[in-house]
Amino acid sequence: MINHPDGQVILLAHGDGGALSRELVEQVFLRHFKSEPLLPLADAALLDDSGGRLALTTDSFVVDPLFFNGGDIGKLAVCGTVNDLAVSGAVPRYLAASFMIEEGLPLATLERVAASMAAACAEAGVQVAAGDTKVVQRGHLDKLFITTTGVGWLPAGVEPGYHRLAAGDVVLINGFLGDHGLAVLSRRHGLELDGQIVSDCAPLNGITGALLARCPGVKIMRDLTRGGLATAVKEIALAAGVDFRLEEEALPVRDVVRGAAEMLGLDPLYLANEGKFLAVVDAKEAQTALDVLREHPLGRRTCAIGRVEAGRGNVYLQTVMGGTRLLDLLAGEPLPRIC
Amino acid sequence: MINHPDGQVILLAHGDGGALSRELVEQVFLRHFKSEPLLPLADAALLDDSGGRLALTTDSFVVDPLFFNGGDIGKLAVCGTVNDLAVSGAVPRYLAASFMIEEGLPLATLERVAASMAAACAEAGVQVAAGDTKVVQRGHLDKLFITTTGVGWLPAGVEPGYHRLAAGDVVLINGFLGDHGLAVLSRRHGLELDGQIVSDCAPLNGITGALLARCPGVKIMRDLTRGGLATAVKEIALAAGVDFRLEEEALPVRDVVRGAAEMLGLDPLYLANEGKFLAVVDAKEAQTALDVLREHPLGRRTCAIGRVEAGRGNVYLQTVMGGTRLLDLLAGEPLPRIC
C-alpha cells in the first residue's frame, strides 16, 4: 500500500483491527494528521489542558445485527468508548453521540437503542453531552451506525505506558475470551447455538478504577476488541519492543465458544470481546492485582495468562501440546461489522 | 410522534435539521439522555472542568457527492465541527475523526479526503487527536461517512446565551446565503450551473474570534447549516422567546444562486451554508461589529439583516414587495446528504 497505484481500494480487512488496519492508519491518517496526541495511536488521546490531562477517544459502531444476545449497538457504543478511556487509566465523564440512520428505520428500534445507551451510561457513570443525527436515503446505509466520542480525565499519578514494560511482568485478563464476537456472529448467521453465547459487553471503568486504586503501578491496560487478545498483545509487544509468552492452558475460553469457533473456522484468540481487558503488572503486584480484579463482578474469572520477556516484539503461545506458536496481528479472514 | 405507534419509521425529514429533526431530538434523545450539557441543544456542549469551561461538539458528515465545487466531505467534516465550537464562543483545539468506509472505496479517494482535512485543520489551527476506522461491506454504506467531534475552550468572560437577547438587538450575517447547498445539489444532479456556484465551506473560528475580541458583548452566534438562515433564526426566536424581523431586501443572495434555487423550487433562506453565521449584537455595538467583520476575508460582505423585537418566537420577513412573510422551521422537502 506504500506505493499504491491509482485504483487500489479499501478492503474489508482494512477495518478488521488487524495488520491492514494498522497499515491504513499509518500510511494514510498518521501521515496527514501529524498531531502529537494522535501519534501513539492509544485507545484515548491525552490532550493538553491547563487544568489537567484530558483524555479523548472516538469510535464508530456499525455492528450487524443491531441486537444480539447480551447487548445491542447502543450499549456497545457506550461501553466501547468508555472502555477505551478506562484502559487508558482515565475516568470517563462525557460522551458525544452521533447517529447515522437509514430512512425507514423503525422509530421503535431507535428508541430501544437510545434506552439501552442511557442504561449503559448510567452504569458507567457518564453523560451524553453532545449529539448529532443524520438520515440518509434507503439503501445508502444499512439501518444504523453510531459514533461515540468520549472525554475523561487522567487522575494525577496514573500514567500507564509502553515504556514501563519489563521482563518478568505478568499479564492478567479478566475472564473468558471470544464471547462478544461469537454472540454477534451466531445471531447474524442464525446458528442454533444462539442463546447459549452472551456478549460480554460491559463498561470496564469500574473494574479498571478499582485496579488502579489498589495497584497504581499498573504498567499498561488494553481492551480486547476487534482483533481479540492476540492482536492486542502483538500490538503492545511491537510498541514496547518486548516479547510476550502466553500459556494456552491458562487462556479462559468457554466450551461452547471453543466449539462454535471451531465449527466456524475461527480462533477465539482473535475474536472480539467488549468487556475484557488485559493488564500488565509488575510480578510483585500480580497477586494483589489478581485479588482486586476477582473481587469485582466483571473480574471473577481473572487469571494470569503469561509474562513479558526481553525481546523485539514477538508473541509466543506455549500450546497445551507442548509446542510453541507465534501469534501475529489479525490478517485476512476479516469479520466485518462485529462492533 | 409523541404517541407513536409501533412501526413508525424514520423519515428523511428527521435528518433535515428542521421541525421533524427537532421533534426527534426532543422526543427520543433528550428523553433518554438527561444530561445538563446536552439540554440546551447548543452547537457545542459546555463541560464542567476544574480547569475551565471545556466545549464539546460532534457531527456526522454524509454529504453526497464526496467532492463538490469549493470543498469535499473532509473539509466539511473539519469546518462543520470547528464552526459549531466557534459560534459557541469557544476556541477550537482538538478533533476526533471517525471514518466509516464502504468496501471498494478507492484508496486515492480516502487520501484526497484526509489531505483536505489536514489542510482545513491547519487553516483552523486544530489537531486531529483521536480517530477510528470501520469498513463495511459493499452496499452497506454509500462510499464514506465521517464523524468529527471537536473539543475547545471557552475563554473567560465570553458567554453568549439566548437569555441575553433584547428588543432592538441587531442581526448580522457575514455574506451570501445558500452557496454550499446549491454547490452540492448542482454537482449531484449534474446541473450545468456547476462551476459557477462554489461552496462557502470555511473554518469560522478566525472571524468569530476577531469579533469576540473587539465586541465581547456579542449576544449569540449561530452557523447557518442544515435548514439555512430561516431555521436558525426561528430556533433562536423559540429558544429566547423573542421575535425577529428580517428585511428581505437586506438578505445577500447571489443572482446565480437565486436563479438556480428558483429553478429547483428551493428557497435560499432554507439552503445550507458552511461558512456563514449570524451574530446578534446590541444596537450600540452594531457598527463596530460590522466594521470588524468586514475587515476579515470571510466577512467582506457582512450586512445587518434585521432586528430582535419583543415577542414569543415569531420570525417575520419584510418582503421586497412590502408584505410580511412568517418564517418557520424547515419542514418537508428534505435535502438529504447536503452535509
Side-chain angles (χ1 to χ4, degrees), chain A residues 27-80:
Chain A
Q27 300 293 328
V28 177
F29 296 124
L30 276 191
R31 202 149 56 71
H32 286 289
F33 307 141
K34 294 182 181 65
S35 122
E36 249 188 58
L38 185 63
L39 211 59
L41 291 180
D43 286 300
L46 294 178
L47 309 181
D48 280 329
D49 177 20
S50 54
R53 302 203 76 190
L54 188 67
L56 177 73
T57 187
T58 194
D59 244 316
S60 288
F61 296 85
V62 299
V63 68
D64 171 41
L66 297 179
F67 302 93
F68 47 86
N69 214 13
D72 58 75
I73 191 172
K75 184 179 182 185
L76 202 56
V78 172
C79 295

Coordinates of all heavy atoms in Angstrom, one line a residue, chain A residues 27-80:
Chain A
Q27 N -0.3 4.6 7.1 CA 0.0 5.1 5.7 C -0.9 6.3 5.3 O -0.5 7.1 4.5 CB -0.1 4.0 4.7 CG 0.9 2.8 4.9 CD 2.3 3.2 4.8 OE1 2.7 4.1 4.0 NE2 3.2 2.6 5.6
V28 N -2.0 6.3 5.8 CA -2.9 7.4 5.4 C -3.1 8.4 6.5 O -2.7 9.6 6.4 CB -4.3 6.8 4.9 CG1 -5.3 8.0 4.6 CG2 -4.1 5.9 3.7
F29 N -3.7 8.0 7.6 CA -4.1 9.0 8.6 C -2.9 9.6 9.3 O -2.9 10.9 9.5 CB -5.1 8.4 9.6 CG -6.4 8.0 8.9 CD1 -6.9 6.7 9.0 CD2 -7.1 8.9 8.1 CE1 -8.0 6.3 8.3 CE2 -8.2 8.5 7.4 CZ -8.7 7.3 7.5
L30 N -2.0 8.8 9.8 CA -0.9 9.4 10.6 C -0.1 10.3 9.7 O 0.5 11.3 10.2 CB 0.0 8.3 11.1 CG -0.4 7.7 12.5 CD1 0.7 6.9 13.1 CD2 -0.8 8.8 13.5
R31 N 0.0 10.0 8.4 CA 0.8 10.8 7.5 C 0.1 12.2 7.3 O 0.8 13.2 7.2 CB 0.9 10.1 6.2 CG 2.1 10.6 5.3 CD 2.6 9.4 4.5 NE 1.6 8.9 3.6 CZ 1.1 9.5 2.5 NH1 1.5 10.7 2.2 NH2 0.2 8.9 1.8
H32 N -1.2 12.2 7.4 CA -1.9 13.5 7.2 C -2.1 14.3 8.5 O -2.1 15.5 8.5 CB -3.2 13.3 6.4 CG -3.0 13.0 5.0 ND1 -2.5 13.9 4.1 CD2 -3.1 11.8 4.3 CE1 -2.5 13.4 2.9 NE2 -2.8 12.1 3.0
F33 N -2.4 13.5 9.5 CA -2.7 14.2 10.8 C -1.5 14.1 11.7 O -1.4 13.1 12.5 CB -3.9 13.5 11.4 CG -5.1 13.4 10.6 CD1 -5.9 12.3 10.6 CD2 -5.4 14.4 9.7 CE1 -7.0 12.2 9.8 CE2 -6.6 14.4 8.9 CZ -7.4 13.2 8.9
K34 N -0.6 15.0 11.6 CA 0.6 15.0 12.4 C 0.4 15.6 13.7 O 0.8 16.7 14.0 CB 1.7 15.6 11.6 CG 2.1 14.9 10.3 CD 3.3 15.6 9.7 CE 3.7 14.9 8.4 NZ 2.6 14.9 7.4
S35 N -0.4 14.9 14.6 CA -0.7 15.5 15.9 C -0.1 14.7 17.0 O -0.1 13.5 17.0 CB -2.2 15.6 16.0 OG -2.7 14.9 17.1
E36 N 0.5 15.3 17.9 CA 1.2 14.6 19.0 C 0.3 13.7 19.8 O 0.7 12.5 20.0 CB 1.8 15.6 20.0 CG 3.4 15.6 19.9 CD 4.0 16.4 21.0 OE1 3.7 16.2 22.2 OE2 4.7 17.3 20.7
P37 N -0.9 14.1 20.1 CA -1.8 13.2 20.9 C -2.2 12.0 20.1 O -2.6 11.0 20.6 CB -3.0 14.1 21.3 CG -2.8 15.4 20.7 CD -1.5 15.5 20.0
L38 N -2.3 12.1 18.7 CA -2.8 11.0 17.9 C -1.6 10.0 17.7 O -1.9 8.8 17.5 CB -3.2 11.6 16.5 CG -3.9 10.6 15.6 CD1 -5.1 10.0 16.2 CD2 -4.2 11.3 14.2
L39 N -0.4 10.5 17.7 CA 0.7 9.7 17.3 C 0.9 8.3 18.0 O 1.1 7.3 17.4 CB 2.0 10.5 17.4 CG 3.1 10.1 16.5 CD1 2.7 10.4 15.0 CD2 4.4 11.0 16.8
P40 N 0.7 8.3 19.3 CA 0.8 7.0 20.0 C -0.3 6.0 19.6 O -0.2 4.8 20.0 CB 0.7 7.4 21.5 CG 0.8 8.8 21.6 CD 0.4 9.4 20.3
L41 N -1.3 6.4 18.9 CA -2.4 5.5 18.5 C -2.9 4.8 19.7 O -3.2 3.6 19.7 CB -2.0 4.5 17.4 CG -1.7 5.1 16.0 CD1 -1.3 4.0 15.1 CD2 -2.9 5.9 15.5
A42 N -3.0 5.5 20.8 CA -3.5 4.9 22.0 C -5.0 4.8 22.0 O -5.7 5.4 21.1 CB -3.1 5.8 23.2
D43 N -5.6 4.1 22.9 CA -7.1 4.0 22.9 C -7.7 5.3 23.1 O -8.8 5.6 22.6 CB -7.5 3.0 24.0 CG -7.2 1.6 23.6 OD1 -7.8 1.2 22.6 OD2 -6.5 0.9 24.3
A44 N -7.1 6.2 23.9 CA -7.7 7.5 24.1 C -6.5 8.5 24.0 O -5.4 8.3 24.4 CB -8.3 7.7 25.4
A45 N -6.8 9.7 23.3 CA -5.8 10.7 23.2 C -5.7 11.5 24.4 O -6.7 11.9 25.0 CB -6.1 11.6 22.0
L46 N -4.5 11.8 24.9 CA -4.4 12.7 26.1 C -4.1 14.1 25.6 O -3.2 14.3 24.8 CB -3.2 12.2 26.9 CG -3.5 10.8 27.6 CD1 -2.3 10.4 28.4 CD2 -4.7 10.9 28.4
L47 N -4.9 15.0 26.0 CA -4.9 16.3 25.5 C -4.2 17.3 26.5 O -4.4 17.1 27.7 CB -6.3 16.8 25.2 CG -7.2 15.8 24.3 CD1 -8.5 16.4 24.1 CD2 -6.5 15.5 23.0
D48 N -3.5 18.2 25.9 CA -3.0 19.3 26.8 C -4.2 20.1 27.3 O -5.1 20.4 26.6 CB -2.1 20.2 26.0 CG -0.7 19.7 25.8 OD1 -0.3 18.9 26.7 OD2 -0.1 19.9 24.8
D49 N -4.2 20.4 28.6 CA -5.2 21.2 29.2 C -4.7 21.8 30.4 O -4.1 21.2 31.3 CB -6.4 20.3 29.6 CG -7.5 21.1 30.3 OD1 -7.5 22.3 30.1 OD2 -8.3 20.5 31.0
S50 N -4.8 23.1 30.5 CA -4.2 23.8 31.6 C -4.7 23.2 32.9 O -3.9 23.2 33.9 CB -4.7 25.3 31.5 OG -6.1 25.4 31.4
G51 N -5.9 22.7 33.0 CA -6.4 22.2 34.2 C -6.2 20.8 34.5 O -6.7 20.2 35.5
G52 N -5.4 20.1 33.7 CA -5.2 18.6 34.0 C -5.0 17.9 32.6 O -5.0 18.5 31.6
R53 N -5.0 16.6 32.7 CA -4.8 15.8 31.4 C -6.2 15.3 31.0 O -6.8 14.5 31.7 CB -3.8 14.7 31.6 CG -2.4 15.3 32.0 CD -1.3 14.3 31.7 NE -1.1 14.4 30.2 CZ -0.3 13.5 29.6 NH1 0.2 12.5 30.2 NH2 -0.1 13.6 28.3
L54 N -6.6 15.8 29.9 CA -7.9 15.5 29.4 C -7.7 14.3 28.4 O -6.7 14.2 27.7 CB -8.4 16.7 28.6 CG -9.8 16.7 28.1 CD1 -10.8 16.7 29.2 CD2 -10.0 17.9 27.2
A55 N -8.6 13.3 28.5 CA -8.5 12.2 27.6 C -9.7 12.2 26.6 O -10.8 12.5 27.0 CB -8.5 10.8 28.3
L56 N -9.4 11.9 25.3 CA -10.4 11.9 24.3 C -10.3 10.7 23.4 O -9.2 10.3 23.1 CB -10.1 13.1 23.4 CG -11.0 13.4 22.2 CD1 -12.4 13.8 22.6 CD2 -10.4 14.4 21.2
T57 N -11.4 10.0 23.1 CA -11.4 8.8 22.2 C -12.6 8.8 21.4 O -13.7 9.3 21.8 CB -11.2 7.6 23.1 OG1 -11.1 6.5 22.2 CG2 -12.5 7.3 23.9
T58 N -12.6 8.2 20.2 CA -13.8 8.1 19.4 C -13.8 6.8 18.7 O -12.8 6.2 18.4 CB -13.8 9.3 18.3 OG1 -15.1 9.3 17.7 CG2 -12.8 9.0 17.2
D59 N -15.0 6.3 18.4 CA -15.3 5.0 17.8 C -16.6 5.0 17.1 O -17.6 5.5 17.6 CB -15.3 3.9 18.9 CG -14.2 2.9 18.8 OD1 -13.9 2.5 17.7 OD2 -13.6 2.6 19.8
S60 N -16.6 4.4 15.9 CA -17.9 4.3 15.2 C -18.3 2.8 15.4 O -17.5 1.9 15.4 CB -17.7 4.6 13.7 OG -17.6 6.0 13.5
F61 N -19.6 2.7 15.5 CA -20.2 1.3 15.7 C -21.1 1.0 14.6 O -22.0 1.8 14.3 CB -20.9 1.3 17.1 CG -19.9 1.4 18.2 CD1 -19.5 2.7 18.6 CD2 -19.2 0.4 18.7 CE1 -18.5 2.9 19.6 CE2 -18.2 0.5 19.7 CZ -17.9 1.8 20.1
V62 N -20.9 -0.1 13.9 CA -21.6 -0.5 12.7 C -22.1 -1.9 12.8 O -22.3 -2.6 11.8 CB -20.7 -0.3 11.5 CG1 -20.3 1.2 11.3 CG2 -19.4 -1.2 11.5
V63 N -22.2 -2.4 14.1 CA -22.4 -3.8 14.3 C -23.7 -4.3 13.6 O -24.7 -3.6 13.4 CB -22.6 -4.1 15.8 CG1 -23.8 -3.5 16.4 CG2 -22.5 -5.6 16.1
D64 N -23.6 -5.5 13.1 CA -24.8 -6.2 12.4 C -24.9 -7.6 12.9 O -23.9 -8.3 12.8 CB -24.5 -6.2 10.9 CG -25.5 -7.0 10.1 OD1 -26.7 -6.9 10.4 OD2 -25.1 -7.7 9.2
P65 N -26.0 -8.0 13.5 CA -27.3 -7.2 13.6 C -27.2 -6.2 14.7 O -26.3 -6.2 15.6 CB -28.2 -8.3 14.0 CG -27.4 -9.3 14.7 CD -26.1 -9.3 14.0
L66 N -28.2 -5.3 14.8 CA -28.2 -4.2 15.8 C -28.4 -4.8 17.2 O -27.9 -4.2 18.2 CB -29.3 -3.2 15.5 CG -29.3 -2.5 14.2 CD1 -30.5 -1.5 14.0 CD2 -28.0 -1.6 14.1
F67 N -29.1 -5.9 17.3 CA -29.4 -6.5 18.6 C -28.9 -7.9 18.6 O -29.0 -8.7 17.6 CB -30.9 -6.5 18.8 CG -31.5 -5.1 18.8 CD1 -32.1 -4.6 17.6 CD2 -31.5 -4.3 19.9 CE1 -32.6 -3.3 17.6 CE2 -32.0 -3.1 19.9 CZ -32.6 -2.5 18.7
F68 N -28.3 -8.3 19.7 CA -27.7 -9.6 19.8 C -27.8 -10.0 21.3 O -28.2 -9.2 22.1 CB -26.2 -9.6 19.3 CG -25.4 -8.5 19.8 CD1 -24.8 -8.6 21.1 CD2 -25.3 -7.3 19.1 CE1 -24.1 -7.5 21.6 CE2 -24.6 -6.2 19.6 CZ -23.9 -6.3 20.9
N69 N -27.5 -11.3 21.5 CA -27.6 -11.8 22.9 C -26.6 -11.1 23.8 O -25.4 -11.2 23.6 CB -27.3 -13.3 22.8 CG -28.1 -14.1 23.8 OD1 -29.0 -13.5 24.4 ND2 -27.8 -15.3 24.1
G70 N -27.1 -10.3 24.8 CA -26.2 -9.7 25.7 C -26.0 -8.2 25.4 O -25.3 -7.5 26.1
G71 N -26.5 -7.7 24.3 CA -26.3 -6.3 24.0 C -26.9 -5.8 22.7 O -27.7 -6.6 22.1
D72 N -26.6 -4.7 22.3 CA -27.1 -4.1 21.1 C -26.1 -2.9 20.7 O -25.2 -2.6 21.5 CB -28.5 -3.5 21.3 CG -28.5 -2.5 22.4 OD1 -28.1 -1.4 22.2 OD2 -29.0 -2.8 23.5
I73 N -26.3 -2.3 19.6 CA -25.4 -1.3 19.1 C -25.3 -0.1 20.1 O -24.2 0.5 20.2 CB -25.8 -0.8 17.7 CG1 -24.7 0.1 17.1 CG2 -27.2 -0.1 17.7 CD1 -24.9 0.4 15.6
G74 N -26.4 0.2 20.8 CA -26.3 1.3 21.7 C -25.4 1.0 22.9 O -24.6 1.8 23.3
K75 N -25.7 -0.1 23.6 CA -24.8 -0.5 24.7 C -23.4 -0.6 24.3 O -22.5 -0.1 25.0 CB -25.3 -1.9 25.2 CG -24.6 -2.3 26.5 CD -25.2 -3.7 26.9 CE -24.5 -4.2 28.2 NZ -25.0 -5.5 28.6
L76 N -23.2 -1.2 23.1 CA -21.8 -1.3 22.6 C -21.2 0.1 22.4 O -20.0 0.3 22.7 CB -22.0 -2.0 21.2 CG -20.8 -2.8 20.7 CD1 -20.3 -3.8 21.6 CD2 -21.2 -3.4 19.3
A77 N -21.9 1.0 21.8 CA -21.4 2.3 21.5 C -21.0 3.1 22.8 O -20.0 3.8 22.8 CB -22.4 3.2 20.7
V78 N -21.7 2.8 23.9 CA -21.3 3.4 25.1 C -20.1 2.7 25.7 O -19.1 3.3 26.1 CB -22.5 3.5 26.1 CG1 -22.0 3.9 27.5 CG2 -23.6 4.4 25.6
C79 N -20.2 1.4 25.8 CA -19.2 0.6 26.5 C -17.9 0.7 25.8 O -16.8 0.8 26.4 CB -19.7 -0.9 26.7 SG -21.1 -1.0 27.8
G80 N -17.9 0.6 24.4 CA -16.7 0.6 23.7 C -15.9 1.8 23.9 O -14.7 1.8 24.1

